[in-house]
Amino acid sequence: MMNDFLDALPKEALENSKIMDLQIRSVKAHEAIDAILSQTVLKGGKRLRPLLTFLMAHLFRVDFETVVPYARASELVHASSLSHDDVIDNATMRRGAPSINILASNKRAVLAGDYLLSSVIVDLTNAGNLELVREMSLVIKDLTEGEWLQLDLIGDRNYTRELIREVAEKKTSSVMCYCSVAPAILSGADKATVDLCREFGRRLGLAFQLIDDTLDYSGDSQKDQELDLKNGIVNAVVYEMLDAHPAHFARFKKGEELIDAVKGIPFNAFVEKINTEAHSHLEAAKNILEELSVILSVVPEYKSNPEELQARIGGLELIISYMALRSH
């Protein structure tokens, strides 16, 4: 599936996402940080966020060299959130290898995540577009608020469907939004177009997170099997299961371990429900691409060559198709 997806993408966008340098340029005193990052959160990965940034740059006719700092920032800020997540989730594995908190320690994992965030802000400031520095500062704020909200929910167990979606928007959609709006802003697009791109990223992020929530219960995840259950984390699938079984939910709220409170309840129906919601977000994202196609059709280069516009829209539609296939 992954190879078919990659083979169908515009070659220039794909190559730029592959060869993009993610090494952190630090002084010698911080070589240990670089080493631990390269072995964990910066190791491997699909680079979906930089790829999305390059595909949006392709659509808005922004030179790839111009967009590199922003594509790089999207991956580094995502990696920083993984460093923090692994600590909060008590993870032991990440992408089939020991997670950063296991390879180093919880304290070093947190510091490494903070180091990545500071590197992102320095790099973006050097790139010189202050509007996109501000956009990224809002992303980092959202990531922090999302982590804090998730911790509050773990502590007080007052989960609601709305709060779980808010965590997803802050922790996942925020970065996808940045990937979508950065090229539009660099192209000089008007506010209405930028807002459409933001909504496109929001929908992609929600779909991505909801599908990710289902993978813990599909047997396909590389994360510890049912790690969220063991650590008392209620994701979208688990919430729907609890909401459908009030007695079990009440036991959990009173302090029973989550893995015990849900024991014996089958997940299949709730996995399917969340998959259906995720696909509705993907459909909305596809509709936004159609709106962007209409807006961009008046660009002189596209007006004289509408096939080129549709081909570039097609690259983004492949991202949507790939996300849909992850749920099967």
mmCIF file of all heavy atoms in Angstrom, residues 238-264:
data_model
loop_
_atom_site.group_PDB
_atom_site.id
_atom_site.type_symbol
_atom_site.label_atom_id
_atom_site.label_comp_id
_atom_site.label_asym_id
_atom_site.label_seq_id
_atom_site.Cartn_x
_atom_site.Cartn_y
_atom_site.Cartn_z
ATOM 1 N N VAL A 238 -12.255 4.082 22.577
ATOM 2 C CA VAL A 238 -12.575 3.671 23.947
ATOM 3 C C VAL A 238 -13.713 4.517 24.513
ATOM 4 O O VAL A 238 -14.596 4.003 25.218
ATOM 5 C CB VAL A 238 -11.324 3.769 24.838
ATOM 6 C CG1 VAL A 238 -11.661 3.419 26.285
ATOM 7 C CG2 VAL A 238 -10.227 2.844 24.319
ATOM 8 N N TYR A 239 -13.700 5.818 24.187
ATOM 9 C CA TYR A 239 -14.783 6.666 24.690
ATOM 10 C C TYR A 239 -16.140 6.174 24.179
ATOM 11 O O TYR A 239 -17.112 6.105 24.950
ATOM 12 C CB TYR A 239 -14.598 8.132 24.288
ATOM 13 C CG TYR A 239 -15.788 8.949 24.728
ATOM 14 C CD1 TYR A 239 -15.904 9.381 26.041
ATOM 15 C CD2 TYR A 239 -16.842 9.219 23.846
ATOM 16 C CE1 TYR A 239 -17.028 10.064 26.473
ATOM 17 C CE2 TYR A 239 -17.965 9.900 24.269
ATOM 18 C CZ TYR A 239 -18.055 10.325 25.586
ATOM 19 O OH TYR A 239 -19.183 10.983 26.020
ATOM 20 N N GLU A 240 -16.238 5.860 22.899
ATOM 21 C CA GLU A 240 -17.516 5.402 22.346
ATOM 22 C C GLU A 240 -17.978 4.115 23.025
ATOM 23 O O GLU A 240 -19.170 3.916 23.274
ATOM 24 C CB GLU A 240 -17.401 5.200 20.834
ATOM 25 C CG GLU A 240 -17.147 6.473 20.044
ATOM 26 C CD GLU A 240 -18.205 7.538 20.233
ATOM 27 O OE1 GLU A 240 -19.381 7.188 20.498
ATOM 28 O OE2 GLU A 240 -17.867 8.733 20.143
ATOM 29 N N MET A 241 -17.028 3.255 23.338
ATOM 30 C CA MET A 241 -17.349 2.017 24.033
ATOM 31 C C MET A 241 -17.879 2.305 25.434
ATOM 32 O O MET A 241 -18.900 1.736 25.866
ATOM 33 C CB MET A 241 -16.110 1.138 24.109
ATOM 34 C CG MET A 241 -16.323 -0.199 24.783
ATOM 35 S SD MET A 241 -14.825 -1.193 24.732
ATOM 36 C CE MET A 241 -13.715 -0.119 25.624
ATOM 37 N N LEU A 242 -17.217 3.198 26.162
ATOM 38 C CA LEU A 242 -17.671 3.558 27.502
ATOM 39 C C LEU A 242 -19.022 4.270 27.457
ATOM 40 O O LEU A 242 -19.898 4.016 28.291
ATOM 41 C CB LEU A 242 -16.634 4.451 28.177
ATOM 42 C CG LEU A 242 -15.324 3.773 28.603
ATOM 43 C CD1 LEU A 242 -14.310 4.821 29.033
ATOM 44 C CD2 LEU A 242 -15.559 2.771 29.717
ATOM 45 N N ASP A 243 -19.177 5.163 26.480
ATOM 46 C CA ASP A 243 -20.429 5.914 26.364
ATOM 47 C C ASP A 243 -21.609 4.988 26.100
ATOM 48 O O ASP A 243 -22.729 5.256 26.542
ATOM 49 C CB ASP A 243 -20.299 6.937 25.234
ATOM 50 C CG ASP A 243 -21.467 7.903 25.183
ATOM 51 O OD1 ASP A 243 -21.733 8.566 26.213
ATOM 52 O OD2 ASP A 243 -22.121 7.997 24.123
ATOM 53 N N ALA A 244 -21.350 3.890 25.402
ATOM 54 C CA ALA A 244 -22.411 2.921 25.100
ATOM 55 C C ALA A 244 -22.665 1.954 26.254
ATOM 56 O O ALA A 244 -23.649 1.206 26.234
ATOM 57 C CB ALA A 244 -22.050 2.134 23.844
ATOM 58 N N HIS A 245 -21.794 1.981 27.264
ATOM 59 C CA HIS A 245 -21.935 1.086 28.418
ATOM 60 C C HIS A 245 -21.787 1.915 29.697
ATOM 61 O O HIS A 245 -20.721 1.914 30.338
ATOM 62 C CB HIS A 245 -20.880 -0.024 28.376
ATOM 63 C CG HIS A 245 -21.025 -0.945 27.211
ATOM 64 N ND1 HIS A 245 -20.537 -0.644 25.952
ATOM 65 C CD2 HIS A 245 -21.615 -2.166 27.109
ATOM 66 C CE1 HIS A 245 -20.816 -1.645 25.127
ATOM 67 N NE2 HIS A 245 -21.476 -2.569 25.803
ATOM 68 N N PRO A 246 -22.847 2.645 30.089
ATOM 69 C CA PRO A 246 -22.774 3.569 31.230
ATOM 70 C C PRO A 246 -22.306 2.929 32.536
ATOM 71 O O PRO A 246 -21.594 3.574 33.315
ATOM 72 C CB PRO A 246 -24.205 4.077 31.352
ATOM 73 C CG PRO A 246 -24.794 3.905 29.984
ATOM 74 C CD PRO A 246 -24.155 2.670 29.430
ATOM 75 N N ALA A 247 -22.656 1.690 32.768
ATOM 76 C CA ALA A 247 -22.241 1.037 34.018
ATOM 77 C C ALA A 247 -20.725 0.875 34.063
ATOM 78 O O ALA A 247 -20.082 1.091 35.099
ATOM 79 C CB ALA A 247 -22.934 -0.323 34.154
ATOM 80 N N HIS A 248 -20.158 0.491 32.940
ATOM 81 C CA HIS A 248 -18.696 0.356 32.854
ATOM 82 C C HIS A 248 -18.025 1.716 32.986
ATOM 83 O O HIS A 248 -16.977 1.836 33.630
ATOM 84 C CB HIS A 248 -18.306 -0.289 31.523
ATOM 85 C CG HIS A 248 -18.728 -1.711 31.395
ATOM 86 N ND1 HIS A 248 -17.872 -2.762 31.599
ATOM 87 C CD2 HIS A 248 -19.935 -2.271 31.089
ATOM 88 C CE1 HIS A 248 -18.505 -3.910 31.416
ATOM 89 N NE2 HIS A 248 -19.768 -3.633 31.102
ATOM 90 N N PHE A 249 -18.659 2.750 32.370
ATOM 91 C CA PHE A 249 -18.116 4.106 32.454
ATOM 92 C C PHE A 249 -18.119 4.586 33.901
ATOM 93 O O PHE A 249 -17.151 5.198 34.388
ATOM 94 C CB PHE A 249 -18.953 5.053 31.579
ATOM 95 C CG PHE A 249 -18.204 6.247 31.045
ATOM 96 C CD1 PHE A 249 -18.738 7.018 30.016
ATOM 97 C CD2 PHE A 249 -16.971 6.619 31.562
ATOM 98 C CE1 PHE A 249 -18.059 8.124 29.518
ATOM 99 C CE2 PHE A 249 -16.283 7.725 31.068
ATOM 100 C CZ PHE A 249 -16.831 8.476 30.056
ATOM 101 N N ALA A 250 -19.193 4.282 34.630
ATOM 102 C CA ALA A 250 -19.303 4.692 36.029
ATOM 103 C C ALA A 250 -18.220 4.024 36.876
ATOM 104 O O ALA A 250 -17.612 4.667 37.754
ATOM 105 C CB ALA A 250 -20.685 4.347 36.570
ATOM 106 N N ARG A 251 -17.960 2.751 36.625
ATOM 107 C CA ARG A 251 -16.909 2.044 37.355
ATOM 108 C C ARG A 251 -15.547 2.684 37.104
ATOM 109 O O ARG A 251 -14.741 2.874 38.018
ATOM 110 C CB ARG A 251 -16.881 0.576 36.936
ATOM 111 C CG ARG A 251 -18.003 -0.263 37.535
ATOM 112 C CD ARG A 251 -18.209 -1.560 36.783
ATOM 113 N NE ARG A 251 -16.959 -2.246 36.457
ATOM 114 C CZ ARG A 251 -16.862 -3.251 35.596
ATOM 115 N NH1 ARG A 251 -17.960 -3.678 34.951
ATOM 116 N NH2 ARG A 251 -15.699 -3.824 35.348
ATOM 117 N N PHE A 252 -15.309 3.049 35.846
ATOM 118 C CA PHE A 252 -14.044 3.694 35.496
ATOM 119 C C PHE A 252 -13.919 5.050 36.191
ATOM 120 O O PHE A 252 -12.865 5.377 36.757
ATOM 121 C CB PHE A 252 -13.955 3.856 33.978
ATOM 122 C CG PHE A 252 -12.802 4.698 33.512
ATOM 123 C CD1 PHE A 252 -11.488 4.308 33.736
ATOM 124 C CD2 PHE A 252 -13.020 5.898 32.843
ATOM 125 C CE1 PHE A 252 -10.420 5.081 33.311
ATOM 126 C CE2 PHE A 252 -11.959 6.677 32.417
ATOM 127 C CZ PHE A 252 -10.657 6.281 32.650
ATOM 128 N N LYS A 253 -14.986 5.840 36.181
ATOM 129 C CA LYS A 253 -14.943 7.166 36.810
ATOM 130 C C LYS A 253 -14.722 7.075 38.315
ATOM 131 O O LYS A 253 -14.158 7.989 38.928
ATOM 132 C CB LYS A 253 -16.232 7.928 36.510
ATOM 133 C CG LYS A 253 -16.306 8.454 35.081
ATOM 134 C CD LYS A 253 -17.555 9.305 34.873
ATOM 135 C CE LYS A 253 -17.570 9.934 33.482
ATOM 136 N NZ LYS A 253 -18.756 10.785 33.269
ATOM 137 N N LYS A 254 -15.156 5.983 38.911
ATOM 138 C CA LYS A 254 -14.989 5.799 40.359
ATOM 139 C C LYS A 254 -13.592 5.308 40.726
ATOM 140 O O LYS A 254 -13.276 5.172 41.904
ATOM 141 C CB LYS A 254 -16.040 4.825 40.882
ATOM 142 C CG LYS A 254 -17.444 5.417 40.927
ATOM 143 C CD LYS A 254 -18.458 4.393 41.426
ATOM 144 C CE LYS A 254 -19.862 4.997 41.438
ATOM 145 N NZ LYS A 254 -20.886 4.005 41.861
ATOM 146 N N GLY A 255 -12.770 5.012 39.720
ATOM 147 C CA GLY A 255 -11.382 4.673 40.016
ATOM 148 C C GLY A 255 -10.917 3.318 39.553
ATOM 149 O O GLY A 255 -9.730 2.985 39.696
ATOM 150 N N GLU A 256 -11.801 2.526 38.965
ATOM 151 C CA GLU A 256 -11.367 1.224 38.471
ATOM 152 C C GLU A 256 -10.414 1.403 37.296
ATOM 153 O O GLU A 256 -10.554 2.332 36.499
ATOM 154 C CB GLU A 256 -12.579 0.394 38.025
ATOM 155 C CG GLU A 256 -12.220 -1.042 37.633
ATOM 156 C CD GLU A 256 -13.451 -1.909 37.403
ATOM 157 O OE1 GLU A 256 -14.573 -1.479 37.732
ATOM 158 O OE2 GLU A 256 -13.279 -3.028 36.892
ATOM 159 N N GLU A 257 -9.410 0.535 37.194
ATOM 160 C CA GLU A 257 -8.473 0.596 36.074
ATOM 161 C C GLU A 257 -9.237 0.426 34.766
ATOM 162 O O GLU A 257 -10.135 -0.411 34.658
ATOM 163 C CB GLU A 257 -7.420 -0.502 36.199
ATOM 164 C CG GLU A 257 -6.478 -0.351 37.383
ATOM 165 C CD GLU A 257 -5.604 0.879 37.281
ATOM 166 O OE1 GLU A 257 -5.258 1.260 36.143
ATOM 167 O OE2 GLU A 257 -5.263 1.455 38.329
ATOM 168 N N LEU A 258 -8.864 1.231 33.767
ATOM 169 C CA LEU A 258 -9.589 1.213 32.494
ATOM 170 C C LEU A 258 -9.598 -0.180 31.875
ATOM 171 O O LEU A 258 -10.637 -0.648 31.396
ATOM 172 C CB LEU A 258 -8.960 2.216 31.522
ATOM 173 C CG LEU A 258 -9.578 2.277 30.124
ATOM 174 C CD1 LEU A 258 -11.043 2.684 30.195
ATOM 175 C CD2 LEU A 258 -8.801 3.240 29.232
ATOM 176 N N ILE A 259 -8.457 -0.838 31.884
ATOM 177 C CA ILE A 259 -8.368 -2.147 31.229
ATOM 178 C C ILE A 259 -9.299 -3.165 31.886
ATOM 179 O O ILE A 259 -9.801 -4.085 31.239
ATOM 180 C CB ILE A 259 -6.906 -2.643 31.191
ATOM 181 C CG1 ILE A 259 -6.744 -3.746 30.149
ATOM 182 C CG2 ILE A 259 -6.423 -3.048 32.576
ATOM 183 C CD1 ILE A 259 -5.306 -4.040 29.784
ATOM 184 N N ASP A 260 -9.572 -2.973 33.197
ATOM 185 C CA ASP A 260 -10.514 -3.853 33.897
ATOM 186 C C ASP A 260 -11.954 -3.431 33.635
ATOM 187 O O ASP A 260 -12.837 -4.276 33.486
ATOM 188 C CB ASP A 260 -10.234 -3.836 35.398
ATOM 189 C CG ASP A 260 -8.863 -4.403 35.738
ATOM 190 O OD1 ASP A 260 -8.434 -5.356 35.046
ATOM 191 O OD2 ASP A 260 -8.214 -3.885 36.664
ATOM 192 N N ALA A 261 -12.188 -2.120 33.577
ATOM 193 C CA ALA A 261 -13.551 -1.611 33.388
ATOM 194 C C ALA A 261 -14.132 -2.004 32.041
ATOM 195 O O ALA A 261 -15.354 -2.167 31.909
ATOM 196 C CB ALA A 261 -13.567 -0.097 33.543
ATOM 197 N N VAL A 262 -13.286 -2.153 31.025
ATOM 198 C CA VAL A 262 -13.791 -2.459 29.682
ATOM 199 C C VAL A 262 -13.620 -3.929 29.314
ATOM 200 O O VAL A 262 -13.953 -4.328 28.203
ATOM 201 C CB VAL A 262 -13.093 -1.583 28.612
ATOM 202 C CG1 VAL A 262 -13.289 -0.109 28.908
ATOM 203 C CG2 VAL A 262 -11.610 -1.922 28.500
ATOM 204 N N LYS A 263 -13.117 -4.710 30.245
ATOM 205 C CA LYS A 263 -12.859 -6.123 29.964
ATOM 206 C C LYS A 263 -14.136 -6.825 29.503
ATOM 207 O O LYS A 263 -15.191 -6.690 30.116
ATOM 208 C CB LYS A 263 -12.309 -6.810 31.209
ATOM 209 C CG LYS A 263 -11.762 -8.200 30.950
ATOM 210 C CD LYS A 263 -11.092 -8.752 32.193
ATOM 211 C CE LYS A 263 -10.493 -10.137 31.912
ATOM 212 N NZ LYS A 263 -9.815 -10.676 33.126
ATOM 213 N N GLY A 264 -14.021 -7.557 28.414
ATOM 214 C CA GLY A 264 -15.145 -8.319 27.902
ATOM 215 C C GLY A 264 -16.013 -7.597 26.896
ATOM 216 O O GLY A 264 -16.880 -8.214 26.270
#
